[in-house]
Amino acid sequence: MQPVTIYTSQFCGFCHSAKRLLAQKGAAFDEIDVGKNPGLRQEMMQKSGRHTVPQIWIGDTHVGGCDELYDLEYSGKLDPLLAG
């Protein structure tokens, strides 16, 4: 299974939804909480070009946020991406 990285903040409902879907898929993920660390938020923004959380990478592929993750699920593309 591909490594998954997700940038989050503690009180973000979209972050919780994305993590829930990944957990349902059995995908382990490295969670980086940017809520209390402006340096990590800057890192996320430089990597993604976006300022909102969550920001999700599966392997080297930047998926985007929660909506994009669910779009992959509904289109049947999430499982193959996770499998690598």
Side-chain angles (χ1 to χ4, degrees), residues 42-70:
Q42 281 298 114
E43 174 186 285
M44 176 196 76
M45 290 168 55
Q46 287 176 345
K47 286 181 170 182
S48 68
R50 298 180 181 186
H51 64 278
T52 59
V53 290
Q55 290 302 316
I56 306 159
W57 279 262
I58 299 175
D60 293 330
T61 302
H62 178 233
V63 170
C66 184
D67 289 342
E68 290 89 354
L69 183 68
Y70 273 86

Side-chain angles (χ1 to χ4, degrees), residues 9-58:
S9 64
Q10 186 176 6
F11 300 109
C12 168
F14 291 108
C15 298
H16 291 288
S17 293
K19 292 188 297 184
R20 186 171 40 252
L21 176 58
L22 290 168
Q24 288 171 351
K25 294 290 181 180
F29 51 86
D30 180 25
E31 181 177 2
I32 301 170
D33 187 340
V34 302
K36 295 180 182 171
N37 189 326
L40 290 174
R41 184 175 289 275
Q42 281 298 114
E43 174 186 285
M44 176 196 76
M45 290 168 55
Q46 287 176 345
K47 286 181 170 182
S48 68
R50 298 180 181 186
H51 64 278
T52 59
V53 290
Q55 290 302 316
I56 306 159
W57 279 262
I58 299 175

